[in-house]
Amino acid sequence: MVSQLDQLKAFTTVVADTGDFKQLAQFAPQDATTNPSLILKAVQKPDYAPLLAETVTAHKGAPLDEIVDHTLVRFGQEILKVIPGRVSTEVDARLSFDTEATLARARRIIKLYEAAGIERGRVLIKVAATWEGIQAARVLEQEGIRCNLTLLFAFAQAQACGDAKVQLISPFVGRIYDWYKKSAGSNWDEAANAGVNDPGVKSVASIYAHYKQHGIRTEVMGASFRNVGQILALSGCDLLTISPDLLAQLQAADAPVSRHLVPVDSVKPAPAPLSEAAFRYALNEDAMATEKLAEGIRAFAVDAGKLDGLIEAQR
C-alpha cells in the first residue's frame, strides 16, 4: 500500500519543519524549514552539541549576533546535504519591527551561505509578516534574495505579501485553530470544526484561492499543524511544512488521500495594493491575528535569547 505521505507528495510539495537534520532522510522531503525554537531544541540534544561548540570556537572573537547567524547557517548547510530543495533560515524575531536591521541580517545570512558554497536560490530568508518585515522582504526580493514570510494569520498579511511579490508565505494553521478553540471554550465542537471546516484550514484555503484567482505567484505553504486531519484537508496546497512526528504518522498510514485545493482556470486582475494604514487597520480588526502575531514574535524572541545564552556560555 502507498503511504499517505507518498500520496500527499503527488499533490503538494512536502517540507520538513525541523532543525534536527538527522531525522530528515527517512521522510525524503523536498525542502526544510527552521525557526529559533527548532534550532534551540536541536542544539540542546547531545547529537548536536559538538556542532554548536565547534561553531562558537571557530568564531569566538565575533559579536554574539554574528555567531548566532553562523550557527543558523551551519544547521542550514547540514540540512541542505540531506534535501534536494531549499532551507528556510529565520532572521532574529527581535528585529520584526525594524526594516533596516532585518535587511542587514538577511543580507549577512545570505553572504554566509554563499561563502560556504551554497547558492542563494537554495535559501529562503524567513521574516515575520509585520508591515516592516514585509517591506524588508520587498527589497530583498528585488536583490534576488528569496523570502519566506512567517507568523502569518490574517488575510491582510497575505495580501501585503502578494503586493510585495515575496517568494513564499507560511500561514499558520494550528495556532489559528488554538485561538478559536480557546475562544469558544465549552462551546467548541471538535467534530464540526475538523478537516475542511477547521478555522486554520479555512484561512489557508482562502489565501490559496485568492492568490490563484488573481495570478499572484507567491507560494503558499501551510504551517503549524496540530494533527494529520489539518494536513490532509490542505492537500493540493503549494507546499506544506510538517513536523517529524506528523510526517511519521502520515508515513505509517495508508488510507486514501484526495486533493482539496485546486488552482482556478481563469485569472482576474489583482486588487489594488494595501496601504500601510489599510494593512494596520485590517490587522487591528482581526483579534485572532493581532494576538497570535504578537505572541509568536514574543515566543521566538524568548528562544532567540536562550540561544544567545547557550552561545555566551561557550565563548
Side-chain angles (χ1 to χ4, degrees):
M1 297 295 290
V2 180
S3 73
Q4 288 191 316
L5 181 58
D6 285 335
Q7 292 178 68
L8 181 64
K9 287 178 181 178
F11 306 121
T12 291
T13 296
V14 169
V15 181
D17 194 24
T18 182
D20 189 344
F21 51 82
K22 294 183 180 180
Q23 286 186 305
L24 290 176
Q26 62 184 303
F27 303 117
Q30 175 68 23
D31 294 354
T33 55
T34 65
N35 63 43
S37 302
L38 293 174
I39 295 296
L40 176 68
K41 184 178 177 182
V43 298
Q44 294 180 92
K45 292 183 177 181
D47 281 354
Y48 299 107
L51 185 149
L52 178 64
E54 178 188 318
T55 304
V56 173
T57 299
H59 305 284
K60 210 156 194 138
L64 176 61
D65 62 317
E66 193 174 315
I67 299 175
V68 169
D69 286 350
H70 277 288
T71 302
L72 301 180
V73 170
R74 180 63 191 277
F75 269 86
Q77 287 176 254
E78 296 299 326
I79 288 169
L80 288 172
K81 291 177 183 177
V82 184
I83 62 170
R86 306 168 296 186
V87 66
S88 290
T89 297
E90 191 153 348
V91 169
D92 192 323
R94 292 168 290 191
L95 305 177
S96 295
F97 302 102
D98 189 332
T99 298
E100 291 304 317
T102 296
L103 286 169
R105 287 294 281 273
R107 289 166 179 150
R108 183 167 71 191
I109 288 168
I110 284 293
K111 283 183 180 178
L112 291 176
Y113 272 112
E114 291 180 331
I118 293 165
E119 60 186 55
R120 62 178 57 189
R122 295 197 71 196
V123 180
L124 292 172
I125 297 295
K126 212 169 174 187
V127 180
T130 57
W131 179 259
E132 294 81 2
I134 294 168
Q135 300 321 303
R138 182 193 298 274
V139 174
L140 293 168
E141 292 284 352
Q142 292 168 356
E143 296 176 0
I145 299 173
R146 303 296 171 229
C147 297
N148 170 356
L149 274 291
T150 188
L151 292 175
L152 196 147
F153 305 97
F155 187 83
Q157 290 174 287
Q159 187 177 344
C161 288
D163 294 341
K165 296 181 169 55
V166 305
Q167 181 69 33
L168 180 148
I169 61 169
S170 294
F172 278 29
V173 176
R175 297 193 197 191
I176 294 176
Y177 161 87
D178 292 344
W179 190 91
Y180 280 100
K181 183 174 181 177
K182 182 179 179 181
S183 180
S186 60
N187 293 323
W188 179 259
D189 185 333
E190 189 66 39
N193 289 286
V196 295
N197 295 318
D198 182 297
V201 169
K202 288 164 75 173
S203 176
V204 177
S206 69
I207 292 167
Y208 176 91
H210 173 78
Y211 277 8
K212 303 311 176 190
Q213 285 168 1
H214 297 291
I216 296 167
R217 300 182 62 142
T218 298
E219 300 169 66
V220 181
M221 179 169 71
S224 169
F225 294 105
R226 297 291 178 260
N227 55 65
V228 166
Q230 292 173 336
I231 296 167
L232 297 180
L234 287 171
S235 175
C237 195
D238 298 328
L239 309 95
L240 297 173
T241 183
I242 307 168
S243 68
D245 288 348
L246 292 176
L247 285 170
Q249 289 182 39
L250 288 164
Q251 196 172 60
D254 58 16
V257 174
S258 57
R259 181 168 191 159
H260 288 284
L261 302 190
V262 182
V264 294
D265 292 329
S266 59
V267 175
K268 305 172 186 176
L274 274 183
S275 66
E276 180 179 353
F279 171 88
R280 293 192 185 281
Y281 190 78
L283 192 59
N284 185 71
E285 287 292 282
D286 189 331
M288 175 276 296
T290 298
E291 291 175 25
K292 298 309 284 187
L293 174 60
E295 178 185 278
I297 291 170
R298 286 195 299 268
F300 282 164
V302 166
D303 285 344
K306 290 178 180 177
L307 181 58
D308 286 352
L310 288 177
I311 290 171
E312 283 281 27
Q314 298 192 35
R315 292 176 76 187

